[in-house]
Amino acid sequence: MTDHRCFAPRGLEAFAAAYPGGPAAVRHRLHDHPLFALEALAQLAERLPESHVEHSFGNLAVDQDPAGVRRAAMPVGEIVRTIDDNGCWMVLKKVDVDPAYAALIDACLGELAPVTEPRTGACRRREAFIFLSSPNSVTPFHMDPEHNILLQIAGTKTMRVYPAGDLSIVPAEVHEAFHRGGRHRNMRHDPAFDAKAQDHRLAPGDAVYVPVKAPHWVQNGPTRSVSFSITWRSDESDGEARLHRVNQRLRRVGWTPAAPGENRAADAAKVTAHRVAKSATATARRLLGRERERSAY
């Protein structure tokens, strides 16, 4: 009988030991999957909504100023087909809008569920991203709001992951601004941070779990790279995001709020108040026909 599992036997042992707070090496079996053939990805890029495709030249600094990022003047399908030598970096966002890729992320998350659900509850806002990079491209220093496993499909890369929640790397005010939106994901990087980092060197079949908002940056290897990122939210990640949103509002009126985790009773009260307020706002928008679409990234 053919084994169609996404992850290799015993490929999730380190993940099970580390989840949800620490990074971990993972082994997967998707590197030969036909959905990741270059032509399949070019066709996917061409049929995705424009807002779901982001690209730039990949010769970026770790501490890249977003204002200095340049884009290639090529159709998205051509960028994918010539990724070997066009010097570009590309992300296809929320590819789970395509039924085939949605089925794949559901299969992967189904295999993760015995680890994730007892600790952080059901996986919500399941989303998938595909990254394509020309040789030697850099993805600058940033953090993401989701639990994330990045599966290396083709080529090699090194991901340098820093501890989540270290305020000497990402201050509280930066966390709060991050959750309020309107700010580019690239962040300030100080080489002194590197003493706290772990390097994960990825080749086809390798993967890495990146905890919620663990800062990281990526150096691509000497050939084109294709990576598949499966992400999800949890009660834990949702609560942490709400705490930072409330804390920013408190800071704006002159308070110095406790950081998440310092006072569990206060944390619970903040999260409950934010949920009630957001639910009321969402209901009012729905009644007025003004519901907002969720952004792709």
Side-chain angles (χ1 to χ4, degrees):
M1 186 175 181
T2 303
D3 187 343
H4 295 292
R5 285 180 296 177
C6 300
F7 296 101
R10 305 182 66 178
L12 294 173
E13 288 183 345
F15 170 71
Y19 186 79
V26 180
R27 292 287 300 168
H28 72 90
R29 308 171 76 175
L30 298 181
H31 47 291
D32 293 323
H33 199 289
L35 286 177
F36 300 115
L38 206 60
E39 182 57 28
L41 295 176
Q43 293 178 23
L44 174 64
E46 290 168 338
R47 66 178 181 266
L48 283 173
E50 184 178 350
S51 63
H52 288 212
V53 182
E54 179 183 348
H55 61 87
S56 69
F57 286 110
N59 56 339
L60 304 177
V62 175
D63 201 8
Q64 179 66 43
D65 179 355
V69 175
R70 298 180 302 115
R71 289 174 50 131
M74 289 190 288
V76 294
E78 183 181 353
I79 291 175
V80 175
R81 294 181 179 100
T82 61
I83 196 72
D84 284 298
D85 54 16
N86 62 23
C88 290
W89 172 94
M90 172 181 273
V91 56
L92 307 179
K93 308 174 185 180
K94 272 191 59 62
V95 301
D96 49 282
V97 299
D98 183 282
Y101 294 91
L104 191 57
I105 186 176
D106 283 345
C108 291
L109 289 175
E111 293 179 30
L112 299 178
V115 174
T116 60
E117 289 188 0
R119 302 182 195 179
T120 57
C123 295
R124 296 186 282 108
R125 280 188 65 173
R126 301 167 173 224
E127 297 177 342
F129 304 79
I130 297 173
F131 296 90
L132 300 100
S133 307
S134 291
N136 304 311
S137 296
V138 169
T139 304
F141 186 63
H142 69 286
M143 62 185 181
D144 301 309
E146 318 97 339
H147 303 274
N148 172 28
I149 293 184
L150 183 83
L151 288 71
Q152 189 66 11
I153 303 298
T156 61
K157 62 173 49 169
T158 299
M159 178 182 283
R160 180 163 290 180
V161 183
Y162 301 76
D166 188 324
L167 298 183
S168 70
I169 296 176
V170 183
E173 293 84 352
V174 175
H175 282 278
E176 292 162 13
F178 177 84
H179 286 292
R180 293 303 304 171
R183 183 188 184 108
H184 196 277
R185 63 181 174 272
N186 290 1
M187 301 188 304
R188 184 188 69 85
H189 177 268
D190 185 332
F193 299 162
D194 291 344
K196 299 181 178 182
Q198 292 183 18
D199 281 353
H200 294 265
R201 294 177 175 84
L202 307 176
D206 292 328
V208 59
Y209 166 65
V210 182
V212 175
K213 289 184 3 191
H216 55 281
W217 65 274
V218 182
Q219 172 67 65
N220 193 31
T223 60
R224 78 161 180 263
S225 170
V226 178
S227 305
F228 180 50
S229 176
I230 56 176
T231 72
W232 66 98
R233 311 293 177 101
S234 65
D235 289 341
E236 180 178 283
S237 68
D238 175 74
E240 195 256 3
R242 291 176 188 275
L243 286 173
H244 285 298
R245 292 187 185 110
V246 172
N247 281 355
Q248 190 196 50
R249 291 184 181 276
L250 294 175
R251 202 180 299 278
R252 287 170 63 182
V253 297
W255 289 27
T256 302
E262 287 185 4
N263 185 325
R264 294 194 177 278
D267 286 353
K270 290 176 186 177
V271 169
T272 299
H274 189 269
R275 283 185 173 141
V276 169
K278 293 299 286 185
S279 178
T281 301
T283 299
R285 286 186 174 278
R286 188 164 53 251
L287 292 173
L288 294 170
R290 298 178 182 175
E291 291 182 89
R292 293 176 177 171
E293 288 189 12
R294 196 171 71 234
S295 62
Y297 194 68

